Structures are given as C-alpha cells and as structure tokens.
Amino acid sequence: MAHGSLRPIKILFDSLAGVDGSARFSFGDTCTALASVSGPIAARPASEHPARATVEVHVRPLSSVPGTAEKLLGSAFKGIIESACLLGQHPRTLIQVVVQALSQPSSALVAAKINACSLALVNAGSIPMRGVVCAVVVGLRMDGNKTEFILDPEDETRLDGTFCFALLFGITSRSFQGKIPPSEVVWMNSRTYNGTSISLDTHKFKLATELARTGATEVWLRMRESLGWLSISR
C-alpha cells in the first residue's frame, strides 16, 4: 500500500553576499535547508580538470563542526550535482556549493538539502544545466506480510525505514509548454530504524519509486512556480 502527501513546501531565495545564487527549501515548518552556489570560479591548480568544471560541496550541520555524516553527504551531493550540470562547458573552473542544515537531522532534511542545492544552482544562472534534481522521502512501515509506503512522513521514529530518492527532471521543450518532463532516479539512499532489516522485492521497490516520482513531480511543479521559466532557461 502506498499513500501520503507532501507537507507544505516553502521556497525562499536569499540574497547572500559573496555568492552567485542561494535558496532555502522547507518541507513544512520543521525541515529546512539553505544552499549557496559560487561559480564557475578559478579552480586551484591541484583540483582543476582540463575538460570540465570541478564540483566541490561542503555540508554543514545545524550546530558544531562537520563530521563523517556531512562528508558522506557532500560526496553524494557532488555526484547528484554533476548529473544535473553541463560541466564540460566550463573546463578548468570550480563550482562551489555550501549546504547548511537549519533543522534537526532527518531523512527529509537530506531531501530538503538536495532541493535547496537545485534551486541555488538555477538561481545562480551561471551554470548550464541538463535538468533539475528534486528529492523526496518515502517511509516504510512493515507489519507481518503487510508493507506500507508513506510519502514525506513527518514522524520518522514510527517507521521501520526510509528511502530518500533524488530524481532528475530534464529541461526540454516540454518543460516550457507547461508539461512535466521525463525524470529518472539519479540517487537513492535507505535508512533503517530499530534494527530492522529491509529487503524489498522488485514489485515493492517499484511502488516506492513511483510514489517518490509522484512526490518529486510535486516538488518540481513548486520549483517551476517559484522560479518562472525565464529563470530556468537562462
């Protein structure tokens, strides 16, 4: 069984000094992330690539200094951003992304961070993109042979696990005709609770993926509404 709906989405474009683009994304009132983008800028000789731009991501927690979890997320976000950007158009340069948590850690916060990154990239307008990545969380609750999937669960402590999906929505002529463009999953991460071992067959995983696609499409529509097509096509 699959059900649920997204919490109210809030998008705000912050005018942060010293960056090319920034954005704040929220699921409801308790899950917010802020991202900023600088670039393309000159890369350090040790990190420049002769054929494409280099992506560098820094993830910061709500408090204290970044730890292992933030470094792992930074590596994952780097791959997600690389899938969305046309890096070959700016060789030997650097694209620097900083992601700041503004809420307590959760799977939904990871999705909010990804969405904030996408919005900041588009808001910068200086980096060519092949598409926009939208992320949502699907919760899992198991009771014997019964499996329940919940879109954007607010209370993750009552679940057996969560799946965070990031989908890339391509920028095509369909996008500018008011139609929803094709999408593909570019990243997925699962998390278990209470020592539960998650093993889904192909059918159940497909149900989770399609529920995530439904939620990510709603995120994409809200991004389109907040940005306007002139911003997306720059």
Side-chain angles (χ1 to χ4, degrees), residues 18-118:
V19 299
D20 294 304
S22 61
R24 191 182 303 237
F25 185 95
S26 303
F27 287 115
D29 297 322
T30 59
C31 181
T32 304
L34 170 68
S36 66
V37 172
S38 299
I41 57 179
R44 296 181 298 275
S47 62
E48 72 175 20
H49 193 286
R52 61 177 176 83
T54 299
V55 176
E56 184 178 275
V57 183
H58 301 278
V59 180
R60 296 174 179 170
L62 180 62
S63 59
S64 73
V65 298
T68 302
E70 285 74 30
K71 291 178 181 178
L72 289 173
L73 277 181
S75 178
F77 291 174
K78 179 178 183 291
I80 293 170
I81 292 168
E82 287 177 342
S83 73
C85 297
L86 298 170
L87 303 177
Q89 295 192 21
H90 292 283
R92 300 184 184 277
T93 62
L94 174 68
I95 298 169
Q96 188 174 67
V97 181
V98 178
V99 192
Q100 174 68 57
L102 300 178
S103 303
Q104 294 296 330
S106 67
S107 294
L109 181 61
V110 175
K113 288 176 179 177
I114 294 171
N115 295 331
C117 286
S118 292

Side-chain angles (χ1 to χ4, degrees), residues 68-205:
T68 302
E70 285 74 30
K71 291 178 181 178
L72 289 173
L73 277 181
S75 178
F77 291 174
K78 179 178 183 291
I80 293 170
I81 292 168
E82 287 177 342
S83 73
C85 297
L86 298 170
L87 303 177
Q89 295 192 21
H90 292 283
R92 300 184 184 277
T93 62
L94 174 68
I95 298 169
Q96 188 174 67
V97 181
V98 178
V99 192
Q100 174 68 57
L102 300 178
S103 303
Q104 294 296 330
S106 67
S107 294
L109 181 61
V110 175
K113 288 176 179 177
I114 294 171
N115 295 331
C117 286
S118 292
L119 288 163
L121 284 165
V122 178
N123 181 243
S126 53
I127 301 159
M129 300 176 68
R130 62 168 54 90
V132 177
V133 176
C134 302
V136 294
V137 167
V138 173
L140 169 68
R141 185 181 292 127
M142 296 186 296
D143 184 9
N145 293 326
K146 180 181 177 182
T147 302
E148 181 182 12
F149 294 109
I150 305 128
L151 179 62
D152 189 28
E154 189 165 0
D155 187 357
E156 297 179 9
T157 62
R158 296 186 178 185
L159 302 173
D160 293 301
T162 56
F163 299 90
C164 182
F165 287 87
L167 290 89
L168 175 68
F169 288 78
I171 297 178
T172 66
S173 59
R174 290 169 56 89
S175 309
F176 303 97
Q177 296 168 0
K179 299 178 181 179
I180 298 170
S183 62
E184 61 176 315
V185 176
V186 293
W187 183 77
M188 191 280 292
N189 184 60
S190 62
R191 180 180 179 185
T192 61
Y193 299 88
N194 306 318
T196 304
S197 177
I198 297 178
S199 179
L200 300 179
D201 59 31
T202 302
H203 173 68
K204 290 179 180 178
F205 187 76

